[in-house]
Amino acid sequence: MEQNTLDIVKTPVPFITLNDGNKMPQVGLGTFKADEGDDIVGLIKSAILEHGYRHIDTAKVYFNEEKIGQALQECILEGVKRDELFIATKLYHDKDKHNVEEACREQLKRLQLDYLDLYLVHWMSPYIDWDNQENYVQPTPAHKVWEQMEHLVEIGLVKSIGVCNCSCQMMLDILTYAKIRPAVNQIELHPYFSQRDYVDFIRNKFNIQVTAYAPLSAVNWTFKKPEYNELNLFKEQLIVDLAGKYSKSVAQIVLNWHAVHRKHLIIPKTAKKERLGENINIFDFKLEQTEYEEIDKLEKGARFYDPLYFSYGVWRNWPYFS
């Protein structure tokens, strides 16, 4: 890891070097449902200008790329250089897979950017068109999608490419034909669902980094198994006690576990400006090794973003796992 020199942040945010040589800030701002609170333009500007965020994560299906693009341009006008920013978005799981370059260019227009730092395939599986009675499974196979992703790197629209929600089996399949291997796999990770064996396998064997989405677990996520409804890291006594011991928030303890102990890239999301500083200032302390190991023991295999339990749209009864 290399240290970021941003003096606006109380403690430097490390960069992680990806397998293609590009450097990615270890902490970013997740923007899924980020417009539920403060205006997202103001939120992004506050994150970048006041708290030193340089990594912003979004997706077509978050329906906020245009507002993020506006915020980015306003930050650039105020002196932030484009090459200081790390912007990630995602190719959605629909007809965009048939023409990846066209989809990417449309997203770049919305973001008002000339290139993306990271472009991820949101779901690395065939596009299933539930409205097509003749052919549910659409004809662009995964290897053709990945070939198009590689083309984006070749023509300079994208610096790094990766995947989301990608199972071990699918990852191994990608590696059989990839000319450019995925740099990142963005998956659900938190102390209740650490996917430790899979994370260690793809990092140690293939130098593929992982980004943790829902790093604080999805407390308010509706579509999860009923037996997980009571799981709440913010009420977990171990975490609460550690927060008191180190004079940190519960969120900071959990995010420190991710970044310092497990070395994950993380994109905590918030719609509240007052949480921005808390979520990025997590590197000025370290727990005892035994305390990290106690957090490890909270593992329950609790996948909150579970396609089998999504009750709407294309996800209904779709048995796909990351």
Side-chain angles (χ1 to χ4, degrees):
M1 288 187 196
E2 299 177 16
Q3 293 295 312
N4 188 346
T5 58
L6 291 172
D7 57 9
I8 196 169
V9 181
K10 292 180 181 178
T11 53
V13 175
F15 283 97
I16 288 181
T17 301
L18 306 178
N19 59 25
D20 57 12
N22 294 322
K23 295 177 173 58
M24 183 172 179
Q26 192 175 8
V27 181
L29 177 63
T31 62
F32 177 54
K33 294 190 174 183
D35 54 358
E36 292 182 342
D38 296 306
D39 171 68
I40 192 170
V41 174
L43 183 79
I44 299 297
K45 289 182 67 177
S46 178
I48 293 172
L49 299 176
E50 299 173 23
H51 298 285
Y53 283 80
R54 292 298 183 264
H55 170 190
I56 307 295
D57 178 273
T58 185
K60 173 185 174 178
V61 77
Y62 299 172
F63 305 110
N64 58 22
E65 287 177 326
E66 288 185 350
K67 291 183 177 180
I68 290 175
Q70 177 186 338
L72 294 176
Q73 288 307 305
E74 292 182 15
C75 289
I76 289 170
L77 287 174
E78 295 199 35
V80 177
K81 296 179 180 179
R82 169 62 184 98
D83 61 9
E84 295 177 358
L85 298 170
F86 191 99
I87 309 302
T89 192
K90 306 173 186 75
L91 175 75
Y92 193 50
H93 188 67
D94 60 10
K95 61 182 177 59
D96 286 353
K97 288 186 170 180
H98 303 333
N99 192 329
V100 174
E101 181 179 340
E102 180 179 300
C104 181
R105 288 186 184 278
E106 286 299 314
Q107 290 177 268
L108 284 168
K109 286 180 183 178
R110 290 194 289 271
L111 289 164
Q112 300 185 51
L113 299 175
D114 295 325
Y115 68 90
L116 295 169
D117 297 277
L118 177 64
Y119 198 40
L120 304 167
V121 183
H122 212 141
W123 291 85
M124 196 66 193
S125 60
Y127 164 40
I128 300 174
D129 184 354
W130 297 101
D131 295 324
N132 187 334
Q133 297 298 317
E134 297 296 324
N135 186 9
Y136 286 131
V137 181
Q138 292 295 289
T140 305
H143 73 91
K144 290 293 186 181
V145 174
W146 194 253
E147 184 180 83
Q148 293 179 77
M149 294 287 286
E150 293 173 328
H151 178 66
L152 298 180
V153 177
E154 292 165 357
I155 64 176
L157 290 186
V158 174
K159 288 192 171 183
S160 297
I161 52 177
V163 292
C164 299
N165 305 297
C166 187
S167 66
C168 186
Q169 295 90 335
M170 180 59 78
M171 182 66 77
L172 292 175
D173 183 67
I174 294 169
L175 293 172
T176 66
Y177 52 75
K179 296 177 183 176
I180 303 174
R181 68 176 52 176
V184 173
N185 186 13
Q186 186 180 123
I187 54 179
E188 179 183 348
L189 294 174
H190 46 76
Y192 294 138
F193 188 57
S194 66
Q195 304 201 65
R196 188 181 188 113
D197 289 343
Y198 179 41
V199 169
D200 290 347
F201 176 64
I202 63 173
R203 278 199 311 212
N204 296 339
K205 296 297 183 184
F206 308 112
N207 194 21
I208 297 169
Q209 299 297 327
V210 294
T211 298
Y213 73 75
L216 299 172
S217 74
V219 176
N220 298 318
W221 181 242
T222 304
F223 309 110
K224 56 188 174 185
K225 293 180 181 179
E227 58 263 38
Y228 300 151
N229 286 340
E230 300 304 313
L231 293 179
N232 187 338
L233 288 172
F234 290 87
K235 296 181 180 179
E236 194 69 55
Q237 195 59 52
L238 170 64
I239 307 295
V240 171
D241 290 345
L242 289 171
K245 174 180 177 180
Y246 289 93
S247 299
K248 300 293 180 181
S249 70
V250 167
Q252 287 174 313
I253 296 295
V254 176
L255 295 175
N256 179 278
W257 171 85
H258 277 285
V260 176
H261 177 55
R262 291 296 296 139
K263 312 300 183 186
H264 299 153
L265 293 148
I266 49 176
I267 47 169
K269 81 101 175 172
T270 184
K272 299 178 180 179
K273 290 181 181 178
E274 60 268 25
R275 298 292 187 193
L276 292 170
E278 176 183 329
N279 289 348
I280 199 171
N281 289 303
I282 58 170
F283 296 100
D284 61 344
F285 69 102
K286 190 172 183 179
L287 307 185
E288 296 177 14
Q289 182 61 28
T290 55
E291 293 169 335
Y292 285 126
E293 292 170 358
E294 287 300 309
I295 297 176
D296 290 341
K297 293 176 183 177
L298 294 176
E299 168 67 47
K300 292 178 172 59
R303 182 191 302 273
F304 289 172
Y305 289 89
D306 188 339
L308 279 175
Y309 281 81
F310 286 12
S311 61
Y312 63 92
V314 300
W315 308 111
R316 188 178 294 116
N317 299 321
W318 185 37
Y320 184 80
F321 297 93
S322 56

